Amino acid sequence: MKAPRRPIHAVSTWVKRQPPKVKAFLAVVAGMTVLVLLRAIVHDHDNLFVAAEAVHAIGISVLIYKLTKEKTCAGISLKSQELTALFLAVRLYCSFVMEYDIHTLLDLATLATTLWVIFMIRFKLESSYMEDKDNCSVYYVVIPCAALALLIHPSTSHHLINRIFWAFCVYLEAVSVLPQLRVMQNTQIVEPFTAHYVFALGVARFLSCAHWILQVLDSNGHLLVALGHGLWPSMVLISEVVQTFILADFCYYYVKSVFGGQLVLRLPSGVV
């Protein structure tokens, strides 16, 4: 007699059997359901942005623990960390010259810890760095973002250079995780601490996306008008959605692995 399957396992098995279009539809429905719940539960939607920064900080803390206690950076993409430092540095510059607020301090703390991670990988734990797996060219990420920023940027009263920098950091943030996904794609096996870190990134980016969408809904679209005219307001929202969906597939397998009691996450071919 077969033991009854866990509900989570039964649902994941059913979802896995569905065609891609059905999976995409289910993902959209799940995302909209969570948005509705967040709108009902969280009254001040600015708290979602703070929550996103907090979850990101937790993810970085897990990464720091891995580097300091296990003395290895295996499975971590140095290129993703460098791209993260780049867009944070540009965003900090924009914050200082355009809209200094509490988010500036949060970005400063995140940049400091990211630079420390880069230092550890480059100079202290370089022997465990999987350079052959971290083979996503940063030029293919940075150059398109820079070109797009030149074409589509805010139409506010700020200096043109500052507006281009602002657009550049928005676009780069959306795709900065791609080298990390490439490393996981190459290895197919993700150890626990790296998996926790990437999952935290996924949750943080979903909360950030939810913050923007709910802010637009609460303002009846006036927020988009405040951002300027043309394609820029739409590109901001698209960038938020893109960076959320980039990690959606990984987060699904992470949750499935956790509920299945697996310490090491094994990714099927072509997942990320």
Side-chain angles (χ1 to χ4, degrees):
M1 183 178 177
K2 293 183 178 181
R5 293 189 301 176
R6 295 179 181 179
I8 294 293
H9 180 70
V11 171
S12 64
T13 301
W14 179 81
V15 172
K16 186 177 180 180
R17 292 174 178 172
Q18 303 308 306
K21 290 184 179 180
V22 175
K23 290 181 180 178
F25 173 76
L26 292 174
V28 171
V29 170
M32 292 178 65
T33 301
V34 175
L35 281 176
V36 171
L37 290 175
L38 288 175
R39 191 177 189 186
I41 296 173
V42 182
H43 300 292
D44 185 355
H45 296 145
D46 280 336
N47 291 334
L48 291 176
F49 187 87
V50 177
E53 293 291 335
V55 173
H56 191 184
I58 292 173
I60 294 178
S61 299
V62 170
L63 203 58
I64 291 174
Y65 181 87
K66 170 186 170 72
L67 297 177
T68 55
K69 297 299 181 180
E70 297 202 343
K71 304 295 183 182
T72 177
C73 62
I76 300 174
S77 169
L78 173 61
K79 293 178 179 178
S80 265
Q81 296 302 315
E82 291 174 337
L83 291 175
T84 299
L86 177 58
F87 84 71
L88 284 172
V90 175
R91 191 160 71 187
L92 271 173
Y93 165 78
C94 293
S95 294
F96 279 119
V97 301
M98 297 171 72
E99 50 174 7
Y100 184 85
D101 55 18
I102 185 61
H103 301 154
T104 306
L105 298 178
L106 295 173
D107 282 343
L108 183 61
T110 305
L111 176 60
T113 53
T114 302
L115 290 175
W116 182 86
V117 170
I118 293 173
F119 171 79
M120 291 294 291
I121 296 175
R122 276 198 174 277
F123 302 107
K124 297 295 184 180
L125 304 172
E126 69 274 12
S127 61
S128 60
Y129 171 49
M130 304 168 68
E131 186 174 1
D132 59 321
K133 304 296 184 183
D134 195 10
N135 55 8
C136 178
S137 175
V138 295
Y139 298 108
Y140 292 140
V141 179
V142 173
I143 293 178
C145 290
L148 191 58
L150 287 172
L151 296 173
I152 304 175
H153 47 262
S155 57
T156 57
S157 59
H158 301 94
H159 193 280
L160 176 61
I161 295 298
N162 296 335
R163 287 184 279 137
I164 292 175
F165 279 165
W166 184 6
F168 174 71
C169 70
V170 168
Y171 300 144
L172 186 59
E173 181 184 14
V175 294
S176 61
V177 76
L178 288 179
Q180 180 63 60
L181 296 181
R182 183 63 177 270
V183 171
M184 296 189 298
Q185 184 183 55
N186 289 335
T187 59
Q188 293 296 304
I189 297 177
V190 187
E191 57 82 33
F193 289 113
T194 303
H196 298 335
Y197 164 69
V198 177
F199 178 72
L201 283 184
V203 173
R205 293 187 172 182
F206 173 78
L207 291 173
S208 178
C209 180
H211 164 257
W212 273 100
I213 293 176
L214 293 180
Q215 288 286 82
V216 171
L217 293 176
D218 289 344
S219 65
N220 294 320
H222 295 305
L223 178 62
L224 293 178
V225 176
L227 290 173
H229 58 268
L231 294 175
W232 168 246
S234 299
M235 290 302 295
V236 173
L237 286 179
I238 291 173
S239 297
E240 292 290 338
V241 172
V242 165
Q243 65 178 317
T244 301
F245 276 93
I246 282 177
L247 288 168
D249 210 13
F250 171 84
C251 290
Y252 163 74
Y253 283 98
Y254 174 89
V255 172
K256 179 182 176 182
S257 177
V258 168
F259 279 100
Q262 300 176 12
L263 295 178
V264 177
L265 178 58
R266 299 179 182 274
L267 297 174
S269 178
V271 167
V272 293

mmCIF file of all heavy atoms in Angstrom, residues 167-203:
data_model
loop_
_atom_site.group_PDB
_atom_site.id
_atom_site.type_symbol
_atom_site.label_atom_id
_atom_site.label_comp_id
_atom_site.label_asym_id
_atom_site.label_seq_id
_atom_site.Cartn_x
_atom_site.Cartn_y
_atom_site.Cartn_z
ATOM 1 N N ALA A 167 18.160 55.863 -15.089
ATOM 2 C CA ALA A 167 17.597 54.805 -15.927
ATOM 3 C C ALA A 167 18.545 53.600 -15.986
ATOM 4 O O ALA A 167 18.107 52.443 -15.921
ATOM 5 C CB ALA A 167 17.332 55.334 -17.335
ATOM 6 N N PHE A 168 19.841 53.880 -16.097
ATOM 7 C CA PHE A 168 20.826 52.796 -16.187
ATOM 8 C C PHE A 168 20.781 51.890 -14.959
ATOM 9 O O PHE A 168 20.799 50.652 -15.085
ATOM 10 C CB PHE A 168 22.227 53.390 -16.347
ATOM 11 C CG PHE A 168 23.328 52.370 -16.310
ATOM 12 C CD1 PHE A 168 23.526 51.483 -17.359
ATOM 13 C CD2 PHE A 168 24.181 52.296 -15.210
ATOM 14 C CE1 PHE A 168 24.542 50.540 -17.315
ATOM 15 C CE2 PHE A 168 25.201 51.355 -15.158
ATOM 16 C CZ PHE A 168 25.382 50.477 -16.216
ATOM 17 N N CYS A 169 20.710 52.466 -13.765
ATOM 18 C CA CYS A 169 20.704 51.631 -12.562
ATOM 19 C C CYS A 169 19.401 50.844 -12.439
ATOM 20 O O CYS A 169 19.399 49.716 -11.926
ATOM 21 C CB CYS A 169 20.972 52.462 -11.312
ATOM 22 S SG CYS A 169 19.660 53.595 -10.814
ATOM 23 N N VAL A 170 18.297 51.399 -12.931
ATOM 24 C CA VAL A 170 17.024 50.663 -12.917
ATOM 25 C C VAL A 170 17.109 49.438 -13.819
ATOM 26 O O VAL A 170 16.727 48.325 -13.430
ATOM 27 C CB VAL A 170 15.862 51.577 -13.356
ATOM 28 C CG1 VAL A 170 14.592 50.755 -13.623
ATOM 29 C CG2 VAL A 170 15.577 52.626 -12.293
ATOM 30 N N TYR A 171 17.635 49.624 -15.030
ATOM 31 C CA TYR A 171 17.737 48.516 -15.977
ATOM 32 C C TYR A 171 18.752 47.473 -15.505
ATOM 33 O O TYR A 171 18.511 46.267 -15.623
ATOM 34 C CB TYR A 171 18.141 49.035 -17.360
ATOM 35 C CG TYR A 171 17.172 50.019 -17.962
ATOM 36 C CD1 TYR A 171 17.616 51.095 -18.742
ATOM 37 C CD2 TYR A 171 15.804 49.910 -17.743
ATOM 38 C CE1 TYR A 171 16.724 52.011 -19.297
ATOM 39 C CE2 TYR A 171 14.908 50.812 -18.290
ATOM 40 C CZ TYR A 171 15.379 51.865 -19.058
ATOM 41 O OH TYR A 171 14.491 52.768 -19.602
ATOM 42 N N LEU A 172 19.890 47.948 -14.979
ATOM 43 C CA LEU A 172 20.939 47.015 -14.558
ATOM 44 C C LEU A 172 20.499 46.190 -13.359
ATOM 45 O O LEU A 172 20.812 44.994 -13.277
ATOM 46 C CB LEU A 172 22.224 47.784 -14.226
ATOM 47 C CG LEU A 172 23.451 46.925 -13.905
ATOM 48 C CD1 LEU A 172 23.792 46.009 -15.078
ATOM 49 C CD2 LEU A 172 24.646 47.807 -13.559
ATOM 50 N N GLU A 173 19.763 46.801 -12.436
ATOM 51 C CA GLU A 173 19.269 46.048 -11.280
ATOM 52 C C GLU A 173 18.385 44.891 -11.720
ATOM 53 O O GLU A 173 18.420 43.805 -11.133
ATOM 54 C CB GLU A 173 18.490 46.971 -10.341
ATOM 55 C CG GLU A 173 17.962 46.249 -9.113
ATOM 56 C CD GLU A 173 17.114 47.131 -8.220
ATOM 57 O OE1 GLU A 173 16.716 48.225 -8.673
ATOM 58 O OE2 GLU A 173 16.842 46.731 -7.072
ATOM 59 N N ALA A 174 17.600 45.111 -12.775
ATOM 60 C CA ALA A 174 16.655 44.089 -13.233
ATOM 61 C C ALA A 174 17.352 42.832 -13.722
ATOM 62 O O ALA A 174 16.808 41.728 -13.618
ATOM 63 C CB ALA A 174 15.766 44.659 -14.338
ATOM 64 N N VAL A 175 18.576 42.969 -14.251
ATOM 65 C CA VAL A 175 19.247 41.820 -14.879
ATOM 66 C C VAL A 175 20.570 41.463 -14.207
ATOM 67 O O VAL A 175 21.294 40.598 -14.694
ATOM 68 C CB VAL A 175 19.489 42.084 -16.380
ATOM 69 C CG1 VAL A 175 18.172 42.173 -17.128
ATOM 70 C CG2 VAL A 175 20.304 43.360 -16.593
ATOM 71 N N SER A 176 20.897 42.108 -13.085
ATOM 72 C CA SER A 176 22.189 41.879 -12.442
ATOM 73 C C SER A 176 22.356 40.461 -11.910
ATOM 74 O O SER A 176 23.487 40.001 -11.679
ATOM 75 C CB SER A 176 22.397 42.879 -11.297
ATOM 76 O OG SER A 176 21.385 42.719 -10.309
ATOM 77 N N VAL A 177 21.258 39.749 -11.727
ATOM 78 C CA VAL A 177 21.333 38.393 -11.184
ATOM 79 C C VAL A 177 21.622 37.345 -12.259
ATOM 80 O O VAL A 177 21.869 36.174 -11.952
ATOM 81 C CB VAL A 177 20.012 38.042 -10.445
ATOM 82 C CG1 VAL A 177 18.906 37.740 -11.441
ATOM 83 C CG2 VAL A 177 20.203 36.862 -9.497
ATOM 84 N N LEU A 178 21.622 37.740 -13.524
ATOM 85 C CA LEU A 178 21.811 36.774 -14.613
ATOM 86 C C LEU A 178 23.109 35.967 -14.498
ATOM 87 O O LEU A 178 23.089 34.748 -14.720
ATOM 88 C CB LEU A 178 21.748 37.498 -15.964
ATOM 89 C CG LEU A 178 20.359 37.988 -16.398
ATOM 90 C CD1 LEU A 178 20.439 38.715 -17.735
ATOM 91 C CD2 LEU A 178 19.385 36.828 -16.491
ATOM 92 N N PRO A 179 24.257 36.574 -14.170
ATOM 93 C CA PRO A 179 25.467 35.744 -14.001
ATOM 94 C C PRO A 179 25.330 34.689 -12.903
ATOM 95 O O PRO A 179 25.848 33.575 -13.037
ATOM 96 C CB PRO A 179 26.555 36.774 -13.668
ATOM 97 C CG PRO A 179 26.078 38.031 -14.300
ATOM 98 C CD PRO A 179 24.581 38.007 -14.113
ATOM 99 N N GLN A 180 24.632 35.044 -11.819
ATOM 100 C CA GLN A 180 24.421 34.063 -10.745
ATOM 101 C C GLN A 180 23.565 32.899 -11.235
ATOM 102 O O GLN A 180 23.840 31.734 -10.928
ATOM 103 C CB GLN A 180 23.748 34.726 -9.544
ATOM 104 C CG GLN A 180 23.484 33.791 -8.372
ATOM 105 C CD GLN A 180 24.749 33.224 -7.785
ATOM 106 O OE1 GLN A 180 25.608 33.974 -7.322
ATOM 107 N NE2 GLN A 180 24.889 31.909 -7.768
ATOM 108 N N LEU A 181 22.555 33.196 -12.011
ATOM 109 C CA LEU A 181 21.719 32.140 -12.577
ATOM 110 C C LEU A 181 22.528 31.274 -13.541
ATOM 111 O O LEU A 181 22.316 30.062 -13.626
ATOM 112 C CB LEU A 181 20.511 32.747 -13.286
ATOM 113 C CG LEU A 181 19.517 33.509 -12.410
ATOM 114 C CD1 LEU A 181 18.353 34.027 -13.243
ATOM 115 C CD2 LEU A 181 18.999 32.640 -11.282
ATOM 116 N N ARG A 182 23.453 31.901 -14.270
ATOM 117 C CA ARG A 182 24.302 31.141 -15.200
ATOM 118 C C ARG A 182 25.193 30.166 -14.442
ATOM 119 O O ARG A 182 25.394 29.022 -14.888
ATOM 120 C CB ARG A 182 25.154 32.111 -16.031
ATOM 121 C CG ARG A 182 26.023 31.441 -17.088
ATOM 122 C CD ARG A 182 25.143 30.726 -18.120
ATOM 123 N NE ARG A 182 25.953 30.153 -19.176
ATOM 124 C CZ ARG A 182 26.282 30.786 -20.300
ATOM 125 N NH1 ARG A 182 25.858 32.042 -20.487
ATOM 126 N NH2 ARG A 182 27.005 30.198 -21.218
ATOM 127 N N VAL A 183 25.728 30.585 -13.312
ATOM 128 C CA VAL A 183 26.550 29.690 -12.486
ATOM 129 C C VAL A 183 25.726 28.491 -12.040
ATOM 130 O O VAL A 183 26.178 27.338 -12.117
ATOM 131 C CB VAL A 183 27.117 30.436 -11.257
ATOM 132 C CG1 VAL A 183 27.773 29.455 -10.287
ATOM 133 C CG2 VAL A 183 28.133 31.484 -11.698
ATOM 134 N N MET A 184 24.510 28.735 -11.572
ATOM 135 C CA MET A 184 23.658 27.638 -11.105
ATOM 136 C C MET A 184 23.244 26.743 -12.261
ATOM 137 O O MET A 184 23.078 25.536 -12.095
ATOM 138 C CB MET A 184 22.436 28.206 -10.382
ATOM 139 C CG MET A 184 22.793 28.970 -9.118
ATOM 140 S SD MET A 184 21.374 29.448 -8.107
ATOM 141 C CE MET A 184 20.497 30.525 -9.224
ATOM 142 N N GLN A 185 23.065 27.333 -13.425
ATOM 143 C CA GLN A 185 22.735 26.538 -14.609
ATOM 144 C C GLN A 185 23.891 25.623 -14.973
ATOM 145 O O GLN A 185 23.679 24.466 -15.360
ATOM 146 C CB GLN A 185 22.409 27.459 -15.776
ATOM 147 C CG GLN A 185 21.956 26.736 -17.044
ATOM 148 C CD GLN A 185 21.711 27.698 -18.189
ATOM 149 O OE1 GLN A 185 22.594 28.473 -18.548
ATOM 150 N NE2 GLN A 185 20.517 27.677 -18.746
ATOM 151 N N ASN A 186 25.112 26.112 -14.828
ATOM 152 C CA ASN A 186 26.288 25.321 -15.169
ATOM 153 C C ASN A 186 26.559 24.202 -14.169
ATOM 154 O O ASN A 186 27.050 23.135 -14.539
ATOM 155 C CB ASN A 186 27.523 26.228 -15.266
ATOM 156 C CG ASN A 186 27.486 27.126 -16.487
ATOM 157 O OD1 ASN A 186 26.842 26.809 -17.484
ATOM 158 N ND2 ASN A 186 28.161 28.266 -16.421
ATOM 159 N N THR A 187 26.261 24.449 -12.903
ATOM 160 C CA THR A 187 26.542 23.440 -11.877
ATOM 161 C C THR A 187 25.378 22.478 -11.662
ATOM 162 O O THR A 187 25.593 21.318 -11.300
ATOM 163 C CB THR A 187 26.880 24.118 -10.539
ATOM 164 O OG1 THR A 187 25.769 24.934 -10.124
ATOM 165 C CG2 THR A 187 28.125 24.984 -10.680
ATOM 166 N N GLN A 188 24.143 22.976 -11.838
ATOM 167 C CA GLN A 188 22.910 22.186 -11.646
ATOM 168 C C GLN A 188 22.657 21.792 -10.187
ATOM 169 O O GLN A 188 21.594 21.306 -9.846
ATOM 170 C CB GLN A 188 22.928 20.909 -12.511
ATOM 171 C CG GLN A 188 22.861 21.174 -13.998
ATOM 172 C CD GLN A 188 21.560 21.828 -14.417
ATOM 173 O OE1 GLN A 188 20.484 21.312 -14.151
ATOM 174 N NE2 GLN A 188 21.666 22.988 -15.051
ATOM 175 N N ILE A 189 23.659 21.987 -9.324
ATOM 176 C CA ILE A 189 23.505 21.682 -7.904
ATOM 177 C C ILE A 189 23.826 22.944 -7.113
ATOM 178 O O ILE A 189 24.893 23.539 -7.278
ATOM 179 C CB ILE A 189 24.428 20.529 -7.459
ATOM 180 C CG1 ILE A 189 24.049 19.235 -8.191
ATOM 181 C CG2 ILE A 189 24.343 20.320 -5.953
ATOM 182 C CD1 ILE A 189 24.941 18.066 -7.867
ATOM 183 N N VAL A 190 22.905 23.365 -6.250
ATOM 184 C CA VAL A 190 23.083 24.592 -5.487
ATOM 185 C C VAL A 190 23.109 24.244 -4.001
ATOM 186 O O VAL A 190 22.146 23.691 -3.472
ATOM 187 C CB VAL A 190 21.938 25.595 -5.758
ATOM 188 C CG1 VAL A 190 22.231 26.929 -5.076
ATOM 189 C CG2 VAL A 190 21.738 25.778 -7.256
ATOM 190 N N GLU A 191 24.236 24.568 -3.359
ATOM 191 C CA GLU A 191 24.332 24.245 -1.925
ATOM 192 C C GLU A 191 23.427 25.181 -1.119
ATOM 193 O O GLU A 191 23.023 26.245 -1.604
ATOM 194 C CB GLU A 191 25.792 24.291 -1.474
ATOM 195 C CG GLU A 191 26.502 25.600 -1.702
ATOM 196 C CD GLU A 191 26.203 26.586 -0.599
ATOM 197 O OE1 GLU A 191 26.028 26.165 0.548
ATOM 198 O OE2 GLU A 191 26.117 27.788 -0.895
ATOM 199 N N PRO A 192 23.096 24.814 0.142
ATOM 200 C CA PRO A 192 22.049 25.497 0.902
ATOM 201 C C PRO A 192 22.224 27.006 1.041
ATOM 202 O O PRO A 192 21.287 27.765 0.805
ATOM 203 C CB PRO A 192 22.091 24.802 2.267
ATOM 204 C CG PRO A 192 22.597 23.433 1.968
ATOM 205 C CD PRO A 192 23.580 23.618 0.855
ATOM 206 N N PHE A 193 23.409 27.473 1.449
ATOM 207 C CA PHE A 193 23.572 28.900 1.726
ATOM 208 C C PHE A 193 23.405 29.746 0.467
ATOM 209 O O PHE A 193 22.796 30.819 0.507
ATOM 210 C CB PHE A 193 24.938 29.163 2.367
ATOM 211 C CG PHE A 193 25.032 28.654 3.781
ATOM 212 C CD1 PHE A 193 25.870 27.611 4.105
ATOM 213 C CD2 PHE A 193 24.256 29.218 4.781
ATOM 214 C CE1 PHE A 193 25.950 27.133 5.397
ATOM 215 C CE2 PHE A 193 24.332 28.749 6.091
ATOM 216 C CZ PHE A 193 25.178 27.697 6.394
ATOM 217 N N THR A 194 23.940 29.274 -0.653
ATOM 218 C CA THR A 194 23.758 30.004 -1.907
ATOM 219 C C THR A 194 22.285 30.012 -2.304
ATOM 220 O O THR A 194 21.762 31.024 -2.779
ATOM 221 C CB THR A 194 24.604 29.375 -3.028
ATOM 222 O OG1 THR A 194 25.977 29.351 -2.637
ATOM 223 C CG2 THR A 194 24.463 30.164 -4.317
ATOM 224 N N ALA A 195 21.610 28.875 -2.119
ATOM 225 C CA ALA A 195 20.182 28.790 -2.445
ATOM 226 C C ALA A 195 19.369 29.752 -1.581
ATOM 227 O O ALA A 195 18.462 30.439 -2.079
ATOM 228 C CB ALA A 195 19.686 27.359 -2.244
ATOM 229 N N HIS A 196 19.696 29.833 -0.277
ATOM 230 C CA HIS A 196 18.988 30.761 0.616
ATOM 231 C C HIS A 196 19.187 32.200 0.149
ATOM 232 O O HIS A 196 18.245 33.007 0.156
ATOM 233 C CB HIS A 196 19.502 30.619 2.055
ATOM 234 C CG HIS A 196 19.288 29.262 2.649
ATOM 235 N ND1 HIS A 196 18.285 28.413 2.222
ATOM 236 C CD2 HIS A 196 19.949 28.600 3.641
ATOM 237 C CE1 HIS A 196 18.335 27.289 2.925
ATOM 238 N NE2 HIS A 196 19.325 27.383 3.777
ATOM 239 N N TYR A 197 20.408 32.518 -0.254
ATOM 240 C CA TYR A 197 20.729 33.881 -0.695
ATOM 241 C C TYR A 197 19.937 34.248 -1.951
ATOM 242 O O TYR A 197 19.323 35.320 -2.013
ATOM 243 C CB TYR A 197 22.231 33.993 -0.954
ATOM 244 C CG TYR A 197 22.624 35.214 -1.761
ATOM 245 C CD1 TYR A 197 22.521 36.490 -1.221
ATOM 246 C CD2 TYR A 197 23.094 35.088 -3.071
ATOM 247 C CE1 TYR A 197 22.871 37.608 -1.966
ATOM 248 C CE2 TYR A 197 23.448 36.193 -3.812
ATOM 249 C CZ TYR A 197 23.334 37.453 -3.258
ATOM 250 O OH TYR A 197 23.683 38.556 -3.994
ATOM 251 N N VAL A 198 19.932 33.373 -2.938
ATOM 252 C CA VAL A 198 19.236 33.660 -4.197
ATOM 253 C C VAL A 198 17.727 33.711 -3.959
ATOM 254 O O VAL A 198 17.023 34.556 -4.541
ATOM 255 C CB VAL A 198 19.589 32.618 -5.276
ATOM 256 C CG1 VAL A 198 18.804 32.877 -6.559
ATOM 257 C CG2 VAL A 198 21.082 32.640 -5.573
ATOM 258 N N PHE A 199 17.211 32.850 -3.095
ATOM 259 C CA PHE A 199 15.783 32.895 -2.778
ATOM 260 C C PHE A 199 15.426 34.210 -2.103
ATOM 261 O O PHE A 199 14.375 34.812 -2.403
ATOM 262 C CB PHE A 199 15.400 31.726 -1.867
ATOM 263 C CG PHE A 199 13.946 31.717 -1.461
ATOM 264 C CD1 PHE A 199 12.962 31.395 -2.380
ATOM 265 C CD2 PHE A 199 13.571 32.043 -0.165
ATOM 266 C CE1 PHE A 199 11.614 31.395 -2.023
ATOM 267 C CE2 PHE A 199 12.235 32.044 0.205
ATOM 268 C CZ PHE A 199 11.256 31.711 -0.724
ATOM 269 N N ALA A 200 16.289 34.693 -1.217
ATOM 270 C CA ALA A 200 16.050 35.983 -0.569
ATOM 271 C C ALA A 200 16.018 37.103 -1.601
ATOM 272 O O ALA A 200 15.197 38.028 -1.503
ATOM 273 C CB ALA A 200 17.131 36.256 0.483
ATOM 274 N N LEU A 201 16.893 37.027 -2.601
ATOM 275 C CA LEU A 201 16.867 38.013 -3.683
ATOM 276 C C LEU A 201 15.523 37.979 -4.406
ATOM 277 O O LEU A 201 14.954 39.025 -4.727
ATOM 278 C CB LEU A 201 17.985 37.727 -4.688
ATOM 279 C CG LEU A 201 19.413 38.115 -4.316
ATOM 280 C CD1 LEU A 201 20.344 37.821 -5.497
ATOM 281 C CD2 LEU A 201 19.510 39.570 -3.925
ATOM 282 N N GLY A 202 15.019 36.764 -4.675
ATOM 283 C CA GLY A 202 13.738 36.620 -5.358
ATOM 284 C C GLY A 202 12.601 37.229 -4.564
ATOM 285 O O GLY A 202 11.750 37.952 -5.116
ATOM 286 N N VAL A 203 12.575 36.964 -3.256
ATOM 287 C CA VAL A 203 11.521 37.509 -2.396
ATOM 288 C C VAL A 203 11.634 39.031 -2.319
ATOM 289 O O VAL A 203 10.626 39.750 -2.409
ATOM 290 C CB VAL A 203 11.603 36.894 -0.983
ATOM 291 C CG1 VAL A 203 10.617 37.581 -0.040
ATOM 292 C CG2 VAL A 203 11.317 35.393 -1.039
#
